[in-house]
Coordinates of all heavy atoms in Angstrom, one line a residue:
Chain B
D3 N -26.0 -46.4 -55.5 CA -27.4 -45.8 -55.4 C -28.4 -46.6 -54.6 O -29.4 -47.0 -55.1 CB -28.0 -45.6 -56.8 CG -27.0 -44.9 -57.7 OD1 -26.4 -44.0 -57.3 OD2 -26.8 -45.4 -59.0
P4 N -28.2 -46.7 -53.3 CA -29.2 -47.4 -52.5 C -30.4 -46.5 -52.3 O -30.4 -45.3 -52.5 CB -28.5 -47.5 -51.1 CG -27.4 -46.5 -51.1 CD -27.0 -46.2 -52.6
D5 N -31.6 -47.2 -52.1 CA -32.8 -46.4 -51.9 C -32.9 -45.9 -50.5 O -33.6 -44.9 -50.2 CB -34.0 -47.3 -52.2 CG -34.0 -47.7 -53.7 OD1 -33.7 -46.9 -54.5 OD2 -34.4 -48.9 -54.0
G6 N -32.2 -46.6 -49.6 CA -32.2 -46.2 -48.2 C -30.9 -46.5 -47.5 O -30.3 -47.6 -47.8
V7 N -30.4 -45.6 -46.6 CA -29.2 -46.0 -45.8 C -29.5 -45.7 -44.4 O -30.2 -44.7 -44.1 CB -28.0 -45.1 -46.3 CG1 -26.8 -45.4 -45.4 CG2 -27.7 -45.2 -47.7
G8 N -29.2 -46.6 -43.5 CA -29.4 -46.4 -42.1 C -28.2 -46.7 -41.2 O -27.4 -47.7 -41.6
K9 N -28.1 -46.1 -40.1 CA -26.9 -46.3 -39.3 C -27.4 -46.5 -37.9 O -28.2 -45.9 -37.4 CB -25.9 -45.2 -39.4 CG -24.7 -45.3 -38.5 CD -23.8 -44.1 -38.7 CE -22.9 -43.9 -37.5 NZ -22.1 -42.7 -37.5
A10 N -26.8 -47.5 -37.2 CA -27.0 -47.6 -35.7 C -25.7 -47.9 -35.0 O -24.8 -48.5 -35.6 CB -28.0 -48.8 -35.5
S11 N -25.7 -47.4 -33.8 CA -24.4 -47.7 -33.1 C -24.7 -48.1 -31.7 O -25.8 -47.8 -31.1 CB -23.5 -46.5 -33.1 OG -24.1 -45.4 -32.6
N12 N -23.7 -48.7 -31.0 CA -23.8 -49.1 -29.6 C -22.8 -48.4 -28.9 O -21.7 -48.6 -29.0 CB -23.6 -50.7 -29.6 CG -23.2 -51.2 -28.2 OD1 -23.2 -50.3 -27.3 ND2 -23.1 -52.4 -28.1
D13 N -23.3 -47.3 -28.2 CA -22.4 -46.4 -27.5 C -21.5 -47.0 -26.6 O -20.3 -46.6 -26.4 CB -23.2 -45.2 -26.9 CG -23.9 -44.4 -28.0 OD1 -23.4 -44.5 -29.1 OD2 -24.9 -43.8 -27.7
A14 N -21.9 -48.1 -25.9 CA -21.2 -48.7 -24.8 C -19.8 -49.3 -25.4 O -18.8 -49.1 -24.9 CB -21.9 -49.8 -24.1
D15 N -20.0 -50.0 -26.5 CA -18.8 -50.7 -27.1 C -18.2 -49.9 -28.3 O -17.1 -50.2 -28.8 CB -19.2 -52.1 -27.6 CG -19.6 -53.0 -26.5 OD1 -19.1 -52.7 -25.3 OD2 -20.5 -53.8 -26.6
G16 N -19.0 -49.0 -28.9 CA -18.6 -48.3 -30.1 C -18.8 -49.1 -31.3 O -18.3 -48.7 -32.4
D17 N -19.6 -50.1 -31.3 CA -20.0 -50.9 -32.5 C -20.8 -50.0 -33.4 O -21.7 -49.2 -32.9 CB -20.8 -52.1 -32.2 CG -19.9 -53.2 -31.5 OD1 -18.7 -52.9 -31.3 OD2 -20.5 -54.3 -31.3
V18 N -20.6 -50.1 -34.7 CA -21.4 -49.3 -35.7 C -21.8 -50.3 -36.8 O -21.0 -51.0 -37.3 CB -20.6 -48.2 -36.3 CG1 -21.4 -47.4 -37.3 CG2 -20.1 -47.2 -35.2
V19 N -23.1 -50.2 -37.2 CA -23.6 -50.9 -38.4 C -24.2 -50.0 -39.3 O -25.1 -49.1 -38.8 CB -24.6 -52.1 -38.0 CG1 -25.2 -52.7 -39.2 CG2 -23.9 -53.1 -37.1
V20 N -23.9 -50.0 -40.6 CA -24.6 -49.3 -41.6 C -25.2 -50.2 -42.6 O -24.6 -51.2 -43.0 CB -23.6 -48.3 -42.4 CG1 -24.4 -47.5 -43.5 CG2 -22.9 -47.4 -41.4
I21 N -26.6 -50.1 -42.8 CA -27.4 -50.9 -43.7 C -27.7 -50.2 -44.9 O -28.2 -48.9 -44.8 CB -28.6 -51.5 -43.0 CG1 -28.2 -52.4 -41.8 CG2 -29.6 -52.2 -44.0 CD1 -28.0 -53.9 -42.1
Y22 N -27.6 -50.7 -46.1 CA -28.0 -50.2 -47.4 C -29.1 -51.0 -48.0 O -28.9 -52.3 -48.0 CB -26.8 -50.1 -48.4 CG -25.5 -49.4 -47.8 CD1 -24.7 -50.1 -47.0 CD2 -25.3 -48.1 -48.2 CE1 -23.5 -49.4 -46.5 CE2 -24.2 -47.4 -47.6 CZ -23.3 -48.1 -46.9 OH -22.2 -47.5 -46.4
I23 N -30.1 -50.4 -48.5 CA -31.2 -51.2 -49.1 C -31.6 -50.8 -50.4 O -31.5 -49.5 -50.7 CB -32.5 -51.3 -48.1 CG1 -32.9 -49.9 -47.8 CG2 -32.3 -52.2 -46.9 CD1 -34.3 -49.9 -47.0
K24 N -32.1 -51.7 -51.2 CA -32.8 -51.4 -52.5 C -34.2 -51.9 -52.3 O -34.4 -53.1 -51.9 CB -32.1 -52.1 -53.7 CG -30.9 -51.2 -54.2 CD -30.9 -51.5 -55.8 CE -29.5 -51.0 -56.3 NZ -29.3 -49.5 -56.2
V25 N -35.1 -51.1 -52.7 CA -36.5 -51.4 -52.6 C -37.3 -51.4 -53.9 O -37.1 -50.5 -54.7 CB -37.2 -50.5 -51.5 CG1 -38.7 -50.8 -51.3 CG2 -36.4 -50.4 -50.3
K26 N -38.1 -52.4 -54.1 CA -39.0 -52.4 -55.3 C -40.4 -52.9 -54.9 O -40.5 -53.9 -54.3 CB -38.4 -53.3 -56.4 CG -38.7 -53.0 -57.8 CD -38.0 -53.9 -58.8 CE -36.9 -53.0 -59.5 NZ -36.1 -53.9 -60.4
E27 N -41.3 -52.0 -55.2 CA -42.7 -52.4 -54.8 C -42.8 -52.8 -53.3 O -43.3 -53.9 -53.0 CB -43.3 -53.4 -55.7 CG -43.6 -52.9 -57.1 CD -43.7 -54.0 -58.1 OE1 -43.6 -55.2 -57.7 OE2 -43.7 -53.7 -59.3
E28 N -42.2 -52.0 -52.4 CA -42.3 -52.2 -51.0 C -41.6 -53.6 -50.5 O -42.0 -54.1 -49.5 CB -43.8 -52.1 -50.5 CG -44.3 -50.8 -50.5 CD -43.6 -49.8 -49.5 OE1 -43.9 -50.0 -48.3 OE2 -42.8 -48.9 -49.9
R29 N -40.7 -54.0 -51.3 CA -40.1 -55.2 -51.0 C -38.6 -55.0 -51.1 O -38.0 -54.2 -51.9 CB -40.4 -56.3 -52.1 CG -40.2 -57.7 -51.7 CD -41.0 -58.7 -52.6 NE -42.4 -58.8 -52.3 CZ -42.9 -59.5 -51.2 NH1 -42.1 -60.3 -50.5 NH2 -44.2 -59.5 -51.0
I30 N -37.8 -55.7 -50.1 CA -36.3 -55.5 -50.0 C -35.7 -56.4 -51.1 O -35.6 -57.6 -50.9 CB -35.8 -55.8 -48.6 CG1 -36.5 -55.2 -47.5 CG2 -34.3 -55.6 -48.5 CD1 -36.4 -53.6 -47.5
V31 N -35.3 -55.8 -52.2 CA -34.7 -56.7 -53.3 C -33.2 -56.8 -53.1 O -32.6 -57.8 -53.6 CB -35.1 -56.1 -54.7 CG1 -36.6 -56.2 -54.9 CG2 -34.5 -54.6 -54.8
D32 N -32.6 -55.9 -52.4 CA -31.1 -56.1 -52.2 C -30.8 -55.4 -50.8 O -31.4 -54.4 -50.5 CB -30.3 -55.6 -53.3 CG -28.9 -56.2 -53.3 OD1 -28.6 -57.1 -52.5 OD2 -28.0 -55.7 -54.1
I33 N -29.8 -55.9 -50.1 CA -29.4 -55.3 -48.9 C -27.9 -55.6 -48.7 O -27.4 -56.7 -49.1 CB -30.3 -55.9 -47.7 CG1 -29.7 -55.3 -46.3 CG2 -30.2 -57.4 -47.6 CD1 -30.7 -55.6 -45.1
S34 N -27.2 -54.6 -48.2 CA -25.8 -54.9 -47.8 C -25.5 -54.1 -46.5 O -26.2 -53.3 -46.1 CB -24.8 -54.5 -49.0 OG -24.8 -53.1 -49.1
F35 N -24.3 -54.4 -46.0 CA -24.1 -53.9 -44.6 C -22.5 -53.5 -44.5 O -21.7 -54.1 -45.2 CB -24.5 -54.7 -43.5 CG -23.6 -56.0 -43.4 CD1 -22.5 -56.1 -42.7 CD2 -24.0 -57.2 -44.1 CE1 -21.7 -57.3 -42.6 CE2 -23.2 -58.3 -44.1 CZ -22.1 -58.4 -43.4
Q36 N -22.2 -52.6 -43.6 CA -20.9 -52.4 -43.1 C -20.9 -52.5 -41.6 O -21.8 -51.9 -41.0 CB -20.3 -51.1 -43.6 CG -20.0 -51.1 -45.1 CD -19.3 -49.8 -45.4 OE1 -19.8 -48.7 -45.2 NE2 -18.1 -49.9 -46.0
T37 N -20.0 -53.2 -41.0 CA -20.0 -53.4 -39.6 C -18.6 -53.1 -39.0 O -17.6 -53.7 -39.4 CB -20.5 -54.8 -39.2 OG1 -21.8 -55.0 -39.7 CG2 -20.6 -54.9 -37.7
F38 N -18.6 -52.3 -37.9 CA -17.4 -52.2 -37.1 C -17.8 -52.8 -35.7 O -18.6 -52.2 -35.1 CB -17.0 -50.8 -37.0 CG -15.8 -50.5 -36.0 CD1 -14.6 -50.8 -36.4 CD2 -16.1 -50.1 -34.7 CE1 -13.4 -50.7 -35.6 CE2 -15.0 -49.9 -33.8 CZ -13.7 -50.2 -34.3
G39 N -17.2 -53.9 -35.4 CA -17.6 -54.5 -34.1 C -17.0 -55.9 -34.0 O -16.3 -56.3 -34.9
C40 N -17.4 -56.6 -33.0 CA -16.9 -57.9 -32.7 C -17.4 -58.9 -33.8 O -18.3 -58.5 -34.6 CB -17.2 -58.3 -31.3 SG -19.0 -58.6 -31.1
A41 N -16.9 -60.1 -33.7 CA -17.3 -61.1 -34.7 C -18.9 -61.3 -34.6 O -19.5 -61.5 -35.7 CB -16.6 -62.4 -34.4
A42 N -19.4 -61.3 -33.4 CA -20.9 -61.4 -33.3 C -21.6 -60.3 -33.9 O -22.7 -60.6 -34.6 CB -21.2 -61.5 -31.8
A43 N -21.1 -59.2 -34.0 CA -21.7 -58.0 -34.6 C -21.7 -58.2 -36.1 O -22.7 -57.9 -36.8 CB -21.0 -56.7 -34.2
I44 N -20.6 -58.7 -36.6 CA -20.5 -58.9 -38.1 C -21.3 -60.0 -38.5 O -22.1 -59.9 -39.5 CB -19.0 -59.2 -38.5 CG1 -18.1 -57.9 -38.1 CG2 -18.9 -59.6 -39.9 CD1 -16.6 -58.1 -38.3
A45 N -21.2 -61.1 -37.8 CA -22.0 -62.3 -38.2 C -23.5 -62.0 -38.1 O -24.4 -62.4 -39.0 CB -21.7 -63.5 -37.2
S46 N -23.9 -61.2 -37.1 CA -25.4 -61.0 -37.0 C -25.9 -60.0 -38.0 O -27.0 -60.1 -38.4 CB -25.8 -60.5 -35.5 OG -25.2 -59.3 -35.3
S47 N -25.0 -59.1 -38.5 CA -25.4 -58.3 -39.6 C -25.6 -59.0 -40.8 O -26.5 -58.8 -41.6 CB -24.3 -57.2 -39.9 OG -24.0 -56.5 -38.7
S48 N -24.7 -60.1 -41.1 CA -24.8 -60.9 -42.2 C -26.1 -61.7 -42.2 O -26.8 -61.8 -43.2 CB -23.6 -61.8 -42.3 OG -23.7 -62.7 -43.3
M49 N -26.3 -62.3 -41.0 CA -27.5 -63.1 -40.8 C -28.8 -62.3 -41.0 O -29.7 -62.7 -41.7 CB -27.5 -63.8 -39.4 CG -28.7 -64.6 -39.1 SD -28.7 -66.1 -40.1 CE -27.6 -67.2 -39.2

Side-chain angles (χ1 to χ4, degrees):
Chain B
D3 309 318
D5 297 322
V7 180
K9 180 180 158 188
S11 57
N12 162 357
D13 294 337
D15 297 330
D17 287 4
V18 179
V19 173
V20 181
I21 294 269
Y22 305 83
I23 51 171
K24 271 214 197 294
V25 184
K26 207 173 252 173
E27 289 160 7
E28 288 295 285
R29 200 163 280 279
I30 306 298
V31 291
D32 200 8
I33 176 167
S34 69
F35 67 91
Q36 286 188 303
T37 300
F38 174 80
C40 65
I44 296 173
S46 62
S47 302
S48 175
M49 180 64 85

